[in-house]
Amino acid sequence: MIVEQRTYTTHPGKWRDYLALYEAEGLAVQRRILGRMVGYYYSEAGALNQIVHLWAYQDLQERETRRARLAADPQWQAYVQRMLPLLQHQESKLLKPAPFFTHSWHDDASQS
């Protein structure tokens, strides 16, 4: 199992616009294609105007396959065109679990 941590930094004060657009146009597409959302957060302290979302995959191959399907989806492509102007920076980290950790997320991906 791997978890991808994606951190998006919006232009100052645009995080609310980002979340509203994502909920209206991006969320359903990502849930349908990526499946296992571990969490979706925004920053309250420290570095501000940041959105952090976590997605779980069985392995790198599953991530590659699902991300390619997402990138090819016309609904997702339309959403991205409206979303990108809100962002200043994007970062992605792939996280591996510690040997003693067992996952407990809801497995939406089994329906895909």
Side-chain angles (χ1 to χ4, degrees), residues 9-26:
T9 304
T10 68
H11 292 285
K14 294 295 183 180
W15 65 271
R16 287 179 188 88
D17 296 339
Y18 171 91
L19 288 176
L21 179 64
Y22 178 74
E23 184 176 16
E25 300 182 27

Side-chain angles (χ1 to χ4, degrees), residues 14-99:
K14 294 295 183 180
W15 65 271
R16 287 179 188 88
D17 296 339
Y18 171 91
L19 288 176
L21 179 64
Y22 178 74
E23 184 176 16
E25 300 182 27
L27 176 60
V29 180
Q30 278 198 315
R31 280 196 168 154
R32 175 173 46 85
I33 296 173
L34 296 184
R36 296 181 206 92
M37 179 191 289
V38 177
Y40 216 98
Y41 310 92
Y42 63 92
S43 60
E44 251 321 287
L48 299 177
N49 300 299
Q50 289 193 327
I51 311 295
V52 178
H53 41 117
L54 305 167
W55 298 90
Y57 304 95
Q58 292 301 319
D59 53 35
L60 290 173
Q61 182 59 52
E62 181 191 16
R63 178 191 176 272
E64 183 177 323
T65 300
R66 288 183 180 275
R67 297 287 314 169
R69 281 180 48 208
L70 183 66
D73 185 272
Q75 187 179 0
W76 180 253
Q77 292 170 0
Y79 160 75
V80 167
Q81 291 302 308
R82 289 187 286 280
M83 178 270 293
L84 283 179
L86 298 172
L87 298 186
Q88 278 188 342
H89 181 75
Q90 294 175 275
E91 181 180 357
S92 179
K93 294 179 183 177
L94 296 179
L95 308 172
K96 293 176 69 174

